[in-house]
Amino acid sequence: MCCIKFNGFLQEILENPHIDVAELIQNNLSLPYDKAETLACRVNKKYLQTTAATETVEQRRISLVAEKPAEQKPHKACIYNFESLSNKEFEVFTKWFLQELGYSVTSEKVFEQFGVDLTALKNDSKTVILARKYRNNYEVSEAAILLAQQAKIDYQCEHAIFLITSVFSEQAKIAAEKCNIELWDVQRIYEKILEIQTNAELTISISLPKYEQSLFNSLMSLAKHKVFLIEERAGEKYDLFFPGVKFPLLTFQVQNELVTRLVFRIKYNEPVGENVAEALISYDKAGNRFGPKDVDAYEQVIGYLEQFLE
């Protein structure tokens, strides 16, 4: 049966090369995420590795703009570690980030290895944003400016922003100034995240909601009080965010409104993956629960979250 189901959605993977293969496998085959990731790697290697030979000219050009390692420079402290984000998480972050800055955003193209093209409206002006996720020691060359100029034409925009999670070369900065292309490097992203946090006007004087009937209800009440944001994912999973930081602070999974797994996603001020995060509550295959009672668990959650309001 598992094989039949796999063959059934393999076509979906082949037709949508940017899909999150691991999550799709997990949801369809009911596998643990670590096993789903292993199977996803095999699928990518066997079925998707040939896609490099059919890359569009545009994708090949994009891969050339960020090959030169840059000299490491200190950045302002930021809780956000972009290299820990999946491609999908980076896309979600970029949309949120721009929306928080007052842009009305629409997706245009998603590049599996690089990022996303977006068009955005602000003050009745249309802007194209080329958002790319590169390693923080990569230096983006002036070739990026050519991409931005072409994107302005392709998407019929008045302005262009090239947003990257690394740094631009000096030649790129000079070319951007001449062509009126706005450059947002990783340092500027960090600065704008701090700006968003400041504008959120959340202080430690905020009173977090008390325990309500069940752990699930209590966690969901955090969003009702506008203190934190909660987004639902596939498989009855929920991610809880703090305004200004789009990496989940915690993730919890629910079955019939019973919290079956709850993990903290920030450890020592660094984001951690869902499957290696510290679990406050979990269940084994036999249905045995590990962790404190719901009331005590919620108290620990509140203690964990309060540090982000300080």
Side-chain angles (χ1 to χ4, degrees), residues 24-307:
L24 183 67
I25 291 174
Q26 181 188 30
N27 294 336
N28 281 268
L29 302 185
S30 301
L31 294 175
Y33 194 77
D34 57 342
K35 293 184 178 180
E37 283 186 321
T38 301
L39 184 54
C41 289
R42 294 178 182 175
V43 170
N44 285 322
K45 184 176 181 180
K46 184 173 182 180
Y47 296 102
L48 301 181
Q49 63 181 354
T50 58
T51 58
T54 58
E55 278 185 324
T56 65
V57 173
E58 181 181 20
Q59 286 175 306
R60 287 196 293 271
R61 288 175 63 200
I62 292 171
S63 66
L64 295 176
V65 304
E67 291 187 340
K68 179 183 177 183
E71 180 183 351
Q72 289 281 26
K73 296 179 181 179
H75 298 301
K76 290 183 179 179
C78 181
I79 198 171
Y80 218 106
N81 180 1
F82 293 108
E83 291 191 15
S84 70
L85 301 185
S86 68
N87 297 324
K88 184 62 179 178
E89 287 174 328
F90 178 68
E91 180 189 355
V92 171
F93 162 79
T94 304
K95 291 179 180 178
W96 164 85
F97 177 66
L98 293 167
Q99 288 167 350
E100 288 292 311
L101 293 173
Y103 290 91
S104 176
V105 179
T106 302
S107 293
E108 296 291 350
K109 290 183 180 179
V110 176
F111 301 99
E112 185 177 11
Q113 296 179 352
F114 307 106
V116 60
D117 283 358
L118 304 165
T119 54
L121 286 175
K122 186 176 183 180
N123 300 326
D124 297 323
S125 180
K126 188 178 181 183
T127 301
V128 59
I129 295 97
L130 291 80
R132 302 292 183 263
K133 180 169 71 78
Y134 299 126
R135 293 183 180 179
N136 59 14
N137 68 330
Y138 275 12
E139 185 174 88
V140 174
S141 73
E142 62 269 29
I145 310 308
L146 297 176
L147 294 177
Q149 285 182 300
Q150 186 61 47
K152 284 174 65 176
I153 298 172
D154 292 342
Y155 300 125
Q156 299 179 336
C157 294
E158 303 162 48
H159 308 287
I161 295 173
F162 210 114
L163 179 154
I164 61 171
T165 58
S166 55
V167 297
F168 291 99
S169 68
E170 290 303 317
Q171 292 86 348
K173 294 176 184 178
I174 294 171
E177 187 173 354
K178 290 180 179 179
C179 299
N180 196 28
I181 304 296
E182 199 167 346
L183 301 183
W184 292 9
D185 62 8
V186 65
Q187 189 62 59
R188 184 157 188 187
I189 294 174
Y190 285 174
E191 290 169 355
K192 287 189 174 292
I193 288 176
L194 292 175
E195 177 185 320
I196 291 169
Q197 290 175 318
T198 301
N199 292 338
E201 296 181 348
L202 293 175
T203 68
I204 57 174
S205 63
I206 293 175
S207 176
L208 296 178
K210 298 186 181 299
Y211 184 83
E212 296 183 10
Q213 299 179 337
S214 70
L215 180 57
F216 175 67
N217 289 339
S218 302
L219 292 171
M220 297 304 291
S221 71
L222 292 169
K224 294 178 183 178
H225 284 69
K226 308 298 181 183
V227 178
F228 297 96
L229 309 175
I230 294 178
E231 291 186 3
E232 185 174 3
R233 294 164 46 199
E236 292 192 87
K237 287 185 179 181
Y238 298 83
D239 289 330
L240 182 144
F241 302 96
F242 179 76
V245 179
K246 199 52 180 177
F247 194 90
L249 302 188
L250 61 84
T251 296
F252 58 97
Q253 188 165 15
V254 178
Q255 186 173 5
N256 297 324
E257 297 195 357
L258 174 68
V259 176
T260 57
R261 181 171 169 79
L262 190 156
V263 297
F264 295 146
R265 300 291 303 278
I266 305 290
K267 187 172 183 179
Y268 304 122
N269 287 332
E270 290 290 337
V272 293
E274 179 181 339
N275 295 297
V276 296
E278 178 183 351
L280 180 62
I281 292 176
S282 62
Y283 280 77
D284 63 16
K285 293 182 179 179
N288 298 310
R289 175 190 171 111
F290 299 91
K293 295 180 179 180
D294 280 5
V295 175
D296 297 331
Y298 185 67
E299 288 185 3
Q300 291 190 40
V301 168
I302 292 300
Y304 166 76
L305 294 177
E306 282 179 341
Q307 66 181 305

